[in-house]
Coordinates of all heavy atoms in Angstrom, one line a residue:
A77 N 101.4 108.5 130.0 CA 100.5 107.6 129.4 C 99.3 108.4 128.9 O 98.8 108.2 127.7 CB 100.0 106.5 130.3
L78 N 98.8 109.4 129.6 CA 97.7 110.2 129.2 C 98.2 111.1 128.1 O 97.4 111.3 127.1 CB 97.3 111.1 130.4 CG 96.1 112.0 130.1 CD1 94.9 111.3 129.8 CD2 95.9 112.9 131.4
G79 N 99.4 111.6 128.1 CA 99.9 112.4 127.0 C 100.0 111.6 125.7 O 99.7 112.2 124.6
V80 N 100.4 110.4 125.8 CA 100.5 109.5 124.6 C 99.1 109.4 124.0 O 98.9 109.5 122.8 CB 101.1 108.2 124.9 CG1 100.9 107.2 123.8 CG2 102.6 108.3 125.2
L81 N 98.1 109.2 124.8 CA 96.7 109.0 124.3 C 96.3 110.3 123.6 O 95.6 110.2 122.6 CB 95.8 108.7 125.5 CG 95.6 107.3 125.8 CD1 94.6 107.1 127.0 CD2 95.0 106.5 124.7
L82 N 96.6 111.4 124.2 CA 96.1 112.7 123.7 C 96.9 113.2 122.5 O 96.3 113.8 121.6 CB 96.1 113.7 124.8 CG 95.2 113.4 126.0 CD1 95.3 114.5 127.0 CD2 93.7 113.3 125.5
F83 N 98.2 113.1 122.4 CA 99.0 113.7 121.4 C 99.7 112.9 120.4 O 100.4 113.4 119.6 CB 100.0 114.6 122.2 CG 99.4 115.6 123.1 CD1 99.6 115.6 124.4 CD2 98.6 116.6 122.6 CE1 99.1 116.5 125.3 CE2 98.0 117.6 123.4 CZ 98.3 117.5 124.8
A84 N 99.6 111.6 120.5 CA 100.4 110.7 119.7 C 100.1 110.9 118.2 O 101.1 110.9 117.4 CB 100.2 109.2 120.1
K85 N 98.9 111.0 117.8 CA 98.6 111.1 116.4 C 99.1 112.4 115.8 O 99.6 112.4 114.7 CB 97.0 111.1 116.2 CG 96.5 109.7 116.4 CD 95.0 109.7 116.0 CE 94.4 108.3 116.3 NZ 93.0 108.2 116.0
F86 N 99.1 113.4 116.5 CA 99.6 114.7 116.1 C 101.1 114.6 115.9 O 101.7 115.1 114.9 CB 99.2 115.8 117.0 CG 99.9 117.1 116.7 CD1 99.5 117.9 115.6 CD2 100.9 117.6 117.5 CE1 100.2 119.1 115.3 CE2 101.6 118.8 117.2 CZ 101.2 119.5 116.1
L87 N 101.8 114.1 116.9 CA 103.3 114.0 116.9 C 103.8 113.1 115.8 O 104.8 113.4 115.1 CB 103.8 113.6 118.2 CG 103.6 114.7 119.4 CD1 104.0 114.1 120.7 CD2 104.2 116.0 119.0
I88 N 103.1 111.9 115.6 CA 103.5 111.0 114.6 C 103.4 111.6 113.2 O 104.3 111.3 112.3 CB 102.6 109.7 114.6 CG1 102.9 109.0 115.9 CG2 102.9 108.8 113.5 CD1 104.3 108.4 116.1
A89 N 102.4 112.4 112.9 CA 102.3 113.1 111.6 C 103.4 114.0 111.3 O 103.7 114.3 110.1 CB 100.9 113.8 111.6
L90 N 104.1 114.5 112.3 CA 105.2 115.4 112.1 C 106.5 114.7 111.8 O 107.5 115.3 111.3 CB 105.4 116.3 113.4 CG 104.3 117.3 113.7 CD1 104.6 118.0 115.0 CD2 104.1 118.3 112.5
V91 N 106.6 113.4 112.1 CA 107.9 112.7 112.0 C 108.4 112.7 110.6 O 109.6 113.1 110.4 CB 107.8 111.3 112.6 CG1 109.0 110.5 112.2 CG2 107.6 111.3 114.1
P92 N 107.7 112.3 109.5 CA 108.3 112.2 108.2 C 108.8 113.6 107.7 O 109.9 113.7 107.2 CB 107.2 111.7 107.3 CG 106.3 110.9 108.2 CD 106.4 111.7 109.5
P93 N 108.0 114.7 107.7 CA 108.5 115.9 107.2 C 109.7 116.4 108.0 O 110.7 116.9 107.4 CB 107.3 116.9 107.4 CG 106.1 116.1 107.6 CD 106.6 114.8 108.1
V94 N 109.7 116.3 109.3 CA 110.9 116.8 110.1 C 112.1 115.9 109.8 O 113.2 116.4 109.6 CB 110.5 116.8 111.6 CG1 111.8 117.0 112.4 CG2 109.5 117.8 111.9
L95 N 111.9 114.6 109.7 CA 113.0 113.7 109.3 C 113.5 114.0 107.9 O 114.7 114.0 107.7 CB 112.6 112.3 109.5 CG 113.6 111.2 109.4 CD1 114.7 111.4 110.4 CD2 113.0 109.8 109.5
G96 N 112.6 114.3 107.0 CA 112.9 114.7 105.6 C 113.8 115.9 105.6 O 114.8 116.0 104.9
I97 N 113.4 116.9 106.4 CA 114.2 118.2 106.4 C 115.6 117.9 107.0 O 116.6 118.4 106.4 CB 113.5 119.3 107.2 CG1 112.2 119.7 106.4 CG2 114.4 120.4 107.5 CD1 111.3 120.6 107.3
I98 N 115.7 117.1 108.0 CA 117.0 116.7 108.6 C 117.8 116.0 107.6 O 119.0 116.3 107.4 CB 116.8 115.9 109.9 CG1 116.2 116.8 111.0 CG2 118.1 115.3 110.4 CD1 115.7 116.0 112.2
L99 N 117.3 115.0 106.9 CA 118.0 114.3 105.9 C 118.5 115.2 104.8 O 119.6 115.1 104.3 CB 117.2 113.1 105.3 CG 116.9 111.9 106.3 CD1 115.9 111.0 105.7 CD2 118.2 111.2 106.6
L100 N 117.6 116.1 104.3 CA 117.9 117.0 103.2 C 119.1 117.9 103.6 O 120.1 118.0 102.9 CB 116.7 117.8 102.8 CG 116.8 118.7 101.6 CD1 117.0 117.9 100.4 CD2 115.5 119.5 101.5
V101 N 119.0 118.5 104.8 CA 120.1 119.4 105.3 C 121.4 118.6 105.4 O 122.5 119.1 105.0 CB 119.7 120.1 106.6 CG1 120.8 120.8 107.2 CG2 118.5 121.0 106.3
N102 N 121.3 117.4 106.0 CA 122.5 116.6 106.2 C 123.1 116.2 104.8 O 124.4 116.2 104.7 CB 122.2 115.3 107.0 CG 122.2 115.6 108.5 OD1 122.8 116.5 108.9 ND2 121.5 114.7 109.2
G103 N 122.3 115.9 103.8 CA 122.8 115.5 102.5 C 123.5 116.7 101.9 O 124.6 116.5 101.3
I104 N 122.9 117.9 102.0 CA 123.6 119.1 101.4 C 124.9 119.4 102.1 O 125.9 119.7 101.5 CB 122.6 120.3 101.5 CG1 121.4 120.0 100.5 CG2 123.3 121.6 101.2 CD1 120.3 121.0 100.7
N105 N 124.9 119.3 103.5 CA 126.1 119.5 104.2 C 127.2 118.5 103.9 O 128.4 118.8 103.8 CB 125.8 119.5 105.7 CG 125.2 120.8 106.2 OD1 125.3 121.8 105.6 ND2 124.5 120.7 107.3
Q106 N 126.8 117.2 103.7 CA 127.7 116.2 103.4 C 128.4 116.5 102.0 O 129.6 116.3 101.8 CB 127.0 114.8 103.3 CG 127.9 113.7 102.9 CD 128.9 113.3 103.9 OE1 128.7 113.4 105.1 NE2 130.0 112.8 103.5
F107 N 127.6 116.9 101.1 CA 128.1 117.2 99.7 C 129.0 118.4 99.8 O 130.1 118.4 99.3 CB 126.9 117.6 98.8 CG 127.4 117.9 97.4 CD1 127.8 116.9 96.5 CD2 127.6 119.2 97.0 CE1 128.3 117.2 95.2 CE2 128.0 119.6 95.8 CZ 128.4 118.5 94.9
R108 N 128.6 119.5 100.5 CA 129.5 120.7 100.7 C 130.8 120.3 101.4 O 131.9 120.7 100.9 CB 128.8 121.7 101.5 CG 129.5 123.0 101.7 CD 128.8 124.0 102.6 NE 128.4 123.4 103.9 CZ 129.1 123.2 104.9 NH1 130.4 123.6 104.9 NH2 128.7 122.7 106.0
D109 N 130.7 119.5 102.4 CA 132.0 119.1 103.1 C 132.9 118.3 102.2 O 134.1 118.5 102.2 CB 131.7 118.3 104.4 CG 131.0 119.2 105.5 OD1 131.1 120.4 105.4 OD2 130.4 118.6 106.4
S110 N 132.3 117.4 101.5 CA 133.1 116.5 100.6 C 133.7 117.4 99.5 O 134.9 117.2 99.1 CB 132.2 115.5 99.9 OG 131.7 114.6 100.9
H111 N 133.0 118.3 99.0 CA 133.5 119.2 97.9 C 134.6 120.1 98.5 O 135.6 120.3 97.8 CB 132.4 120.1 97.3 CG 132.8 120.8 96.1 ND1 133.1 120.2 95.0 CD2 132.9 122.2 96.0 CE1 133.5 121.2 94.1 NE2 133.4 122.4 94.7
E112 N 134.5 120.6 99.7 CA 135.5 121.4 100.3 C 136.8 120.6 100.5 O 137.9 121.1 100.4 CB 135.0 122.0 101.6 CG 134.0 123.1 101.4 CD 134.6 124.4 100.8 OE1 135.8 124.7 101.1 OE2 133.9 124.9 99.9
M113 N 136.6 119.3 100.8 CA 137.8 118.5 101.1 C 138.6 118.3 99.8 O 139.8 118.1 99.9 CB 137.3 117.1 101.7 CG 138.4 116.3 102.1 SD 139.4 117.0 103.4 CE 138.3 116.8 104.8
T114 N 138.0 118.3 98.7 CA 138.7 118.1 97.4 C 139.7 119.2 97.2 O 140.6 119.1 96.4 CB 137.8 117.9 96.2 OG1 137.0 119.1 96.1 CG2 136.9 116.7 96.4
K115 N 139.5 120.4 97.8 CA 140.4 121.5 97.6 C 141.7 121.2 98.4 O 142.7 121.8 98.0 CB 139.7 122.8 98.1 CG 138.6 123.2 97.2 CD 137.9 124.5 97.8 CE 136.7 124.8 96.9 NZ 136.0 126.0 97.4
R116 N 141.6 120.4 99.4 CA 142.8 120.1 100.3 C 143.5 118.8 99.8 O 144.7 118.7 99.9 CB 142.4 120.1 101.7 CG 142.0 121.4 102.3 CD 141.7 121.3 103.8 NE 140.8 122.4 104.1 CZ 139.7 122.3 104.7 NH1 139.3 121.1 105.1 NH2 138.9 123.3 104.9
V117 N 142.6 117.9 99.5 CA 143.1 116.5 99.1 C 142.7 116.3 97.6 O 141.6 116.5 97.2 CB 142.5 115.4 100.0 CG1 143.0 114.1 99.6 CG2 142.8 115.7 101.4
K118 N 143.7 115.9 96.8 CA 143.4 115.7 95.4 C 142.8 114.4 95.0 O 143.3 113.6 94.2 CB 144.8 115.9 94.6 CG 145.4 117.2 94.8 CD 144.5 118.4 94.3 CE 145.2 119.7 94.5 NZ 144.2 120.8 94.4

Side-chain angles (χ1 to χ4, degrees):
L78 182 63
V80 166
L81 270 178
L82 297 176
F83 302 115
K85 286 184 181 181
F86 172 72
L87 294 175
I88 293 296
L90 294 177
V91 169
V94 170
L95 190 57
I97 291 168
I98 290 169
L99 289 172
L100 187 64
V101 168
N102 280 335
I104 292 169
N105 283 337
Q106 177 73 30
F107 180 81
R108 182 186 49 84
D109 291 345
S110 298
H111 187 67
E112 286 295 319
M113 188 60 74
T114 60
K115 293 178 183 176
R116 293 185 205 124
V117 180
K118 299 298 179 197

